[in-house]
Amino acid sequence: MLLPAEAEVARQLRRYRAWERLMLAAPADRTVRSTFEDSGYTLCVLMGKRCAREAADAAERFLRHGPAAFLQEREQGGRAHTVRRIHRTPFTARRTTAGR
């Protein structure tokens, strides 16, 4: 399996974050938005993710923990850093005292 070069991951992550800041500062600017989306797509392809935010998180983990941790996460199907969800009763099933 081919791994991205750490220097390229760092460069693309910096580019993505810079365009993210510009896009948040000027969300109506179509050129900024387009370039931000392009940088997100590039990061997705580089990191093998479908979402730019996931790709940015994966790039940060790749740079922090190295290629071995990235490979281990990829083999596990990306479940190494999943968020635990809190199971709650659906809103429609909750009982209230109002309206009795």
Side-chain angles (χ1 to χ4, degrees):
M1 173 183 297
L2 293 176
L3 288 175
E6 288 186 40
E8 186 64 20
V9 172
R11 188 173 77 82
Q12 292 298 332
L13 182 60
R14 279 193 310 270
R15 182 175 181 259
Y16 173 78
R17 292 296 185 205
W19 283 108
E20 181 181 40
R21 285 189 298 274
L22 289 171
M23 203 274 303
L24 290 172
D29 188 337
R30 291 180 187 217
T31 304
V32 171
R33 180 175 291 274
S34 175
T35 309
F36 168 66
E37 289 173 356
D38 287 347
S39 68
Y41 176 77
T42 302
L43 199 57
C44 285
V45 171
L46 189 65
M47 300 309 296
K49 299 292 182 180
R50 292 181 180 224
C51 169
R53 188 170 302 272
E54 289 176 7
D57 291 343
E60 289 173 351
R61 285 192 305 272
F62 179 83
L63 295 171
R64 189 178 316 120
H65 300 295
F70 180 74
L71 280 175
Q72 182 181 9
E73 177 186 341
R74 202 175 247 189
E75 287 173 1
Q76 294 174 353
R79 292 186 299 269
H81 298 281
T82 56
V83 177
R84 290 182 59 190
R85 298 195 186 273
I86 299 173
H87 297 287
R88 298 183 70 186
T89 306
F91 181 77
T92 55
R94 293 184 194 161
R95 295 179 183 239
T96 63
T97 57
R100 281 192 177 185

